[in-house]
């Protein structure tokens, strides 16, 4: 940074200034808020303007801050106050990253001491009375209640302390994206937008409820990060949560107001499934633990929306496989659909793994059928698909595919003579949808053949609902390993031909079955022979 003032200081004066800043910042770096040690960090300390001079900041000590040099070099905004806020968010991201997730509003609220209390209130037909006793604010506030003319829901507006606000993960399962940094900067520059979040309270036996925020997460989080302690909220009173859930799902699907990725839609679908199960049990007076009804019973019960009900059931199956904490393939799946790091897109996973291996119809066996002995058909299906994904992750991706090299222009780079790790190239090529689609078909065939050899009659559509014995798992693993070692995946000369562009499924089916392309180019030394490969 250029500073006339600092340039004029001699070494002694500069040390005095550093000491003074160090004390006033309580020995912490202005950006990362970790300790600065004046001895250990002696040659790696910067003095910088908090507000850059070109944005009107003064060039004098009132506008100076002390930072680690490395923090100053990698700061995410020119203004150091903004840089510090973004650094806090980055730290939060590192923390939640350990659980393989990104931060949501709940994490931000917790970081700033929010999300502590339920809101106490009483309610009449046209007003709501509340108080904030936990914060020592015992005054009783009367707030008018309005009716939303479209939905019929009652609501009120309030500016509520963050201690009383909570994130609703059920209606809004999304996390906060990197675009939060733009919002933080915009708000920091005092440019307001439609800040108001949507929330709701539920009236139950007693007059307290969490205020759950389900929309406007990013704007709420940006305000909290900027140190705002009270947020404006439109609070629905005892709304039909199901309608809010549907509204939020539609915002991301039919209305395309929010860029939902597909896996989030699935997650919402599964929340709706859980909801319907609860409603079914309540309406039929079933006990908490009573799952003695089938998927088919649910579809029948919710007649008016049987098609949706079926979708919710399948969404829940997909969702629990995708987000299972033991899913090793997950790290290689791109959920946004536009990334250039990960080899598999979520949509490819749906079109292959999920469409081949999940039974696409509803089951007539009870949801708890054979659950105790570990042979519940849906559970077994989920576990075994997960197991297959893990085998594939271990054989093809882990320690082999490198997210830092990514997927961007791989074939072009090979054509240009660039040397890339061949393990990476193999994994990349085997992940292409039209290729994966074909070789996963062989996996089904191996499984079917195995059962046929055992003389076991099976229903092909329910393949993964039959228990796979150990020898079958070994065959599958050997097949994946042998397939992965075929020379074509690392043959760089093929980058101009068979791997040069996107081909269709039939093209690769032809290669696997005949060893050559439909145009006659030899790609494999011989057609795929399953007996040899297992
Ligand atoms: Zn620092």
């Amino acid at each position: 940074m250029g500073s006339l003032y600092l340039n004029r200081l001699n070494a002694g004066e500069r040390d005095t200034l550093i000491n003074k800043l160090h004390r006033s910042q309580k020995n912490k770096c202005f950006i990362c808020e970790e300790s600065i040690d004046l001895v250990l960090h002696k040659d790696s300390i910067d003095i910088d303007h908090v507000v850059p001079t070109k944005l009107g900041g003064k060039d004098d000590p009132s506008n100076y801050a002390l930072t680690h040099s490395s923090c100053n070099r990698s700061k995410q905004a020119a203004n150091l106050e903004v840089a510090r806020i973004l650094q806090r968010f980055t730290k939060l991201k590192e923390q939640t990253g350990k659980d393989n997730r990104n931060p949501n509003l709940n994490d931000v609220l917790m970081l700033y001491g929010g999300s502590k209390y339920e809101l106490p209130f009483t309610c009449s037909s046209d007003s709501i009375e509340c108080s904030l006793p936990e914060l020592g604010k015992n005054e009783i506030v009367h707030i008018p209640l309005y009716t939303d003319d479209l939905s019929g829901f009652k609501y009120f507006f309030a500016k509520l302390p963050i201690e009383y606000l909570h994130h609703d993960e059920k209606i809004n399962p999304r996390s906060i994206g990197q675009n939060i940094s733009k919002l933080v900067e915009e708000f920091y520059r005092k440019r307001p937008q439609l800040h108001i979040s949507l929330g709701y309270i539920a009236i139950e036996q007693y007059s307290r409820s969490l205020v759950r925020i389900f929309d406007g997460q990013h704007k709420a989080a940006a305000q909290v990060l900027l140190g705002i302690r009270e947020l404006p909220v439109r609070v629905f009173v005892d709304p039909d949560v199901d309608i809010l859930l549907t509204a939020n799902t539609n915002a991301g699907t039919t209305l395309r107001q929010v860029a939902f990725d597909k896996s989030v839609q699935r997650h919402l679908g599964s929340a709706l499934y859980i909801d319907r199960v609860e409603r079914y049990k309540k309406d039929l007076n079933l006990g908490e633990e009573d799952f003695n009804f089938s998927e088919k019973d649910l579809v029948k019960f919710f007649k008016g929306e049987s098609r949706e009900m079926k979708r919710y059931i399948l969404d829940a199956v997909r969702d629990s496989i995708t987000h299972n904490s033991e899913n090793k393939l997950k790290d290689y799946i791109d959920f946004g659909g536009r990334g250039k790091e990960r080899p598999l897109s979520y949509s490819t996973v749906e079109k292959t793994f999920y469409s081949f291996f999940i039974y696409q119809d509803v089951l007539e066996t009870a949801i708890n059928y054979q659950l105790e002995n570990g042979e519940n058909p849906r559970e077994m299906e989920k576990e075994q698909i997960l197991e297959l994904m893990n085998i594939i992750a271990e054989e093809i991706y882990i320690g082999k595919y490198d997210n830092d090299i990514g997927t961007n222009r791989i074939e072009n780079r090979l054509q240009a003579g660039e040397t890339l790790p061949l393990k990476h190239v193999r994994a990349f090529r085997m992940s292409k949808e039209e290729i994966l689609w074909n070789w996963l078909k062989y996996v089904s065939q191996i499984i079917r053949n195995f059962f046929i050899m055992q003389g076991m009659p099976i229903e092909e559509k329910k393949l993964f609902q039959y228990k796979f014995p150990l020898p079958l798992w070994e065959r599958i693993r050997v097949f994946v390993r042998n397939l992965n070692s075929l020379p074509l995946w690392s043959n760089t000369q093929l980058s101009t031909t068979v791997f040069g562009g996107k081909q269709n499924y039939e093209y690769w089916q032809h290669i696997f079955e005949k060893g050559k392309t439909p145009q006659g180019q030899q790609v494999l030394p011989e057609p795929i022979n399953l007996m040899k490969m297992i």
Side-chain angles (χ1 to χ4, degrees), residues 2 22 27 110 180 245 258 334 336 345 391 425 471 500 518:
H22 193 242
N27 311 343
M110 300 289 274
I180 185 88
L245 194 58
V258 202
D334 173 31
S345 74
I391 288 178
V425 176

Side-chain angles (χ1 to χ4, degrees), residues 210-409:
L210 296 177
V211 179
R212 296 184 169 88
I213 305 293
F214 62 91
D215 200 2
Q217 174 177 219
H218 281 79
K219 286 169 187 170
Q223 293 175 73
V224 175
L225 285 165
L226 283 162
I228 302 293
R229 304 289 306 177
E230 294 182 338
L231 301 184
V233 194
R234 180 190 187 192
V235 185
F236 290 100
V237 179
D238 220 18
D240 181 344
V241 173
D242 207 55
I243 289 180
L244 300 180
L245 194 58
T246 309
N248 204 37
T249 309
N250 290 345
T253 53
T254 35
L255 302 182
R256 301 195 183 281
Q257 288 164 322
V258 202
F260 273 148
D261 54 55
K262 237 185 175 175
S263 70
V264 173
Q265 285 176 34
R266 295 297 175 224
H267 195 82
L268 284 166
S270 83
L272 287 163
Y273 171 62
I274 293 161
D275 234 67
R276 294 301 187 279
V277 168
E278 276 168 16
R279 219 196 301 163
Y280 178 87
K281 292 206 291 193
K282 205 170 152 199
D283 286 6
L284 294 182
N285 269 320
L286 301 180
E288 190 79 2
E289 304 292 321
D290 189 350
F291 286 95
N292 216 348
F293 52 91
S294 68
E295 294 172 356
K296 188 150 194 194
D297 292 333
L298 287 169
V299 171
K300 267 198 237 157
F301 184 79
F302 297 100
K303 282 192 220 71
E305 49 165 17
S306 54
R307 196 170 343 135
E308 287 85 349
M309 192 59 227
K310 197 177 141 185
R311 185 166 62 77
Y312 302 156
I313 292 169
L314 295 178
D315 280 354
V317 176
R318 284 184 277 249
D319 191 52
S320 80
I321 300 172
T322 309
H323 296 290
N324 190 307
S325 61
E326 282 165 26
N327 186 331
K328 297 181 184 169
L329 197 61
K330 190 164 55 179
D331 293 340
Y332 303 93
I333 300 173
D334 173 31
F335 291 102
R338 283 167 301 278
K340 295 204 158 71
E341 285 178 7
R342 301 172 186 216
L344 292 162
S345 74
Y346 179 73
S347 130
T348 295
V349 172
E350 281 215 347
K351 286 184 203 154
T352 55
F353 288 95
Y354 295 165
S355 94
F356 295 171
F357 303 138
I358 295 175
Y359 177 56
Q360 302 289 324
D361 212 338
V362 291
L363 292 174
E364 291 181 36
T365 47
I367 287 180
N368 60 5
Y369 174 75
Q370 300 274 329
L371 204 57
E372 297 92 43
N373 58 17
E375 301 209 345
N376 177 274
R378 272 298 182 209
E379 288 308 311
M380 207 147 61
E381 181 178 74
K382 289 193 271 189
E383 282 163 22
Q384 298 196 126
I385 294 174
L386 182 70
E387 177 66 23
L388 173 65
M389 288 175 136
N390 285 349
I391 288 178
I392 290 172
E394 285 161 8
E395 294 298 329
I396 302 181
Y397 298 104
I398 298 170
K400 300 181 169 110
Y401 182 90
D402 183 348
N403 276 347
D404 290 336
I405 300 173
T407 62
N408 194 21
R409 306 182 68 248

Side-chain angles (χ1 to χ4, degrees), residues 29 31-34 67-68 71:
C29 164
I31 297 173
C32 76
E33 301 172 282
E34 306 285 344
T67 72
H68 296 115
C71 290

Side-chain angles (χ1 to χ4, degrees), residues 119-122 128-132 139-143 156 160:
L119 183 73
F121 64 90
T122 54
I128 188 159
E129 283 70 48
C130 63
S131 191
L132 309 170
E139 180 197 351
I140 295 162
V141 187
H142 302 262
I143 308 170
F156 63 92
L160 290 170

Side-chain angles (χ1 to χ4, degrees), residues 20-37:
K20 208 175 134 209
L21 290 170
H22 193 242
R23 262 198 316 279
S24 73
Q25 292 175 206
K26 303 202 169 66
N27 311 343
K28 303 265 196 275
C29 164
F30 194 88
I31 297 173
C32 76
E33 301 172 282
E34 306 285 344
S35 297
I36 290 183
D37 187 302

